[in-house]
Amino acid sequence: MGKFPAFLLLPFLCFFHSLFLSDADVTGNSSDPGLTLSAESLCAQLIEPNGYFCTEHTVQTKDGYLLALQRVSSRSGDLKVQQGHPVLLQHGLFMAGDAWFLDSTEQSLGFILADQGFDVWVGNVRGTRWSHGHISLLDTDKEFWEWSWQELALYDLAEMLHYIHAITSSKIFIVGHSQGTIMSLAVLTQPDIVEMVEAAALLSPISYLEHVSAPLVLRMVAMHLDQMVLALGLHQLNFRSDVLVNLVDSLCDDHVDCTDFLSSITGQNCCFNKTRMNFYLEYEPHPSSVKNLRHLFQMIRQGTFSHYDYGILKNLLIYGQFKPPAFDLNNIPKSLPIWMSYGGNDALADATDVQRTLEELSSKPELLYLDNYGHIDFLLSVKANRDIYDHMIGFFRSLEKSSSY
């Protein structure tokens, strides 16, 4: 078939979601050692221009990455006396914290939660534009990209939760989309982390990927795109580079109709506003690592929700066993409230895999099923505020009534 349009890469990146690291000034003058100031920050570019109060924070992980966190309150609020419950928004793959603010203030979840009085915290994982690199590695170093969603969960998300809990002295609501739900479910299996979490709300929830039905994704897995990229000597995934655009383009042949690129990756989205694509591309995509893509492909090929598979010999050295250990969903406490929303047209977070997740959890999450929603709709639908976010906020409110700070 014909070549796919390069500008349609964003929908693909929303899941497998350029060297975009900014030259942000990370030397703040606040009494809070994590507070940072920068004219190139997410606060300055997307949040404050809409009239919202926003501060920048830097969190250092155990392995030396410097992550950006933004704290947002409503246009009528005051961050110094923020009274609402803390909510951490965790973005998906090839995206960053800006993903929660790409539409109008009435449609974007980050703005909506702030206007509802929540203490909104916005996570940005390592390697993304808003985060600040590493204490000793450069983003041109191979070692800088030696991580997958396993580290994003156990180091990045874990450290952000520790930081927010220390600042607010409150348990935290987690909201994740796509890879953000993989990270959330993985980190919630850790007893020392889950005690800081009040509840989790998961959009397009993923722990298993065995039943992915997106034609182009399956084509990439079958053609071993991850191995192709490694063979080119790449360790960072930069989908603004001609090399990777052309490589993905080469997979579009008689097997996949790339003229309908969006649905070939995500499933048919009912409510995504394609007219805003050029604006979205001002911020997306953000980089990720080849190792991360390989880990996701392992999930598809093996039907597992496990640590990274290095092969038998290295698994023995690292894990002490032939196969990588699984993230046991049954370890997530039954007492932890969980809310999930998934769609009938989502070709990535397939309903069969969602059902397997539900069967392995010890709790019974609250569910919102939307038959006509695809993968992107949960983040960028023009109707998501009514279709999804009102229900999520109602879930949070019911928990606030029964909890004390």
Side-chain angles (χ1 to χ4, degrees):
M1 295 292 176
K3 294 186 177 182
F4 66 83
F7 75 90
L8 284 179
L9 273 172
L10 175 62
F12 161 54
L13 299 171
C14 288
F15 170 67
F16 284 139
H17 341 357
S18 127
L19 303 172
F20 261 69
L21 293 176
S22 68
D23 297 323
D25 175 9
V26 298
T27 57
N29 57 4
S30 167
S31 58
D32 176 358
L35 193 64
T36 61
L37 304 172
S38 172
E40 297 299 321
S41 68
L42 175 55
C43 283
Q45 290 201 22
L46 265 182
I47 299 172
E48 291 171 344
N50 282 288
Y52 290 76
F53 294 91
C54 185
T55 55
E56 293 278 344
H57 301 253
T58 298
V59 177
Q60 182 175 323
T61 67
K62 293 178 181 179
D63 54 349
Y65 290 87
L66 301 171
L67 313 177
L69 268 175
Q70 291 80 32
R71 191 181 192 184
V72 185
S73 71
S74 71
R75 288 167 282 193
S76 59
D78 185 343
L79 285 167
K80 295 180 180 178
V81 292
Q82 183 70 277
Q83 298 297 313
H85 209 110
V87 180
L88 173 60
L89 301 177
Q90 184 52 59
H91 62 81
L93 180 60
F94 289 124
M95 304 193 98
D98 46 62
W100 307 101
F101 302 94
L102 290 176
D103 283 323
S104 71
T105 57
E106 291 77 27
Q107 294 172 332
S108 300
L109 182 59
F111 293 130
I112 291 170
L113 289 171
D115 284 335
Q116 288 287 326
F118 290 96
D119 183 5
V120 178
W121 293 79
V122 185
N124 303 267
V125 301
R126 61 187 65 187
T128 55
R129 175 182 181 182
W130 311 115
S131 286
H132 308 299
H134 191 275
I135 57 174
S136 60
L137 298 172
L138 300 176
D139 68 329
T140 52
D141 295 331
K142 171 185 174 182
E143 293 79 12
F144 184 93
W145 302 101
E146 186 59 30
W147 47 264
S148 76
W149 60 258
Q150 177 179 319
E151 286 76 23
L152 302 186
L154 301 182
Y155 292 163
D156 293 20
L157 183 53
E159 204 61 49
M160 288 187 281
L161 288 167
H162 276 296
Y163 183 87
I164 297 168
H165 187 259
I167 295 291
T168 64
S169 300
S170 176
K171 287 192 172 184
I172 302 154
F173 293 140
I174 297 178
V175 178
H177 173 253
S178 192
Q179 182 182 257
T181 71
I182 300 177
M183 294 165 55
S184 298
L185 289 167
V187 82
L188 290 174
T189 65
Q190 310 301 302
D192 61 320
I193 300 298
V194 75
E195 65 184 13
M196 297 184 291
V197 178
E198 185 73 27
L202 308 178
L203 303 169
S204 297
I206 297 171
S207 62
Y208 293 99
L209 288 168
E210 187 176 7
H211 293 89
V212 164
S213 58
L216 189 52
V217 175
L218 295 176
R219 178 71 169 158
M220 291 174 182
V221 173
M223 295 294 292
H224 295 273
L225 180 68
D226 49 338
Q227 297 282 15
M228 291 183 186
V229 174
L230 278 178
L232 293 172
L234 302 177
H235 300 279
Q236 176 189 180
L237 285 176
N238 168 17
F239 280 97
R240 289 183 181 265
S241 72
D242 290 339
V243 172
L244 287 184
V245 169
N246 290 334
L247 183 58
V248 175
D249 182 42
S250 70
L251 301 179
C252 293
D253 55 19
D254 292 338
H255 296 279
V256 179
D257 183 3
C258 290
T259 59
D260 190 8
F261 190 72
L262 180 60
S263 61
S264 73
I265 289 292
T266 68
Q268 189 65 44
N269 295 281
C270 69
C271 314
F272 173 66
N273 186 356
K274 296 180 182 179
T275 66
R276 290 182 61 79
M277 184 69 75
N278 287 338
F279 176 75
Y280 299 152
L281 287 174
E282 292 180 21
Y283 295 93
E284 319 302 336
H286 293 255
S288 190
S289 71
V290 175
K291 185 176 180 179
N292 194 27
L293 184 67
R294 296 194 76 188
H295 199 172
L296 292 166
F297 281 11
Q298 287 175 4
M299 296 170 70
I300 296 173
R301 292 176 180 128
Q302 300 171 11
T304 57
F305 183 43
S306 300
H307 291 66
Y308 186 85
D309 190 348
Y310 291 95
I312 292 175
L313 293 180
K314 195 168 181 180
N315 285 343
L316 278 172
L317 289 172
I318 294 177
Y319 306 125
Q321 57 191 57
F322 293 126
K323 294 183 178 181
F327 286 99
D328 188 351
L329 294 172
N330 193 55
N331 287 339
I332 300 176
K334 187 176 182 179
S335 58
L336 180 72
I338 300 175
W339 179 95
M340 295 182 178
S341 186
Y342 63 109
N345 282 334
D346 194 333
L348 299 172
D350 184 86
T352 304
D353 290 327
V354 173
Q355 185 59 41
R356 183 178 176 185
T357 299
L358 293 172
E359 291 171 356
E360 295 189 9
L361 289 167
S362 58
S363 63
K364 292 189 178 299
E366 291 190 26
L367 301 175
L368 176 64
Y369 174 75
L370 298 167
D371 187 60
N372 63 333
Y373 264 54
H375 196 74
I376 299 173
D377 288 321
F378 290 90
L379 184 66
L380 295 174
S381 165
V382 295
K383 303 192 300 177
N385 53 344
R386 300 186 302 275
D387 291 346
I388 304 172
Y389 303 153
D390 285 350
H391 297 274
M392 178 196 297
I393 291 169
F395 168 73
F396 289 155
R397 294 296 188 207
S398 68
L399 297 172
E400 285 184 321
K401 290 178 182 178
S402 60
S403 66
S404 58
Y405 293 96

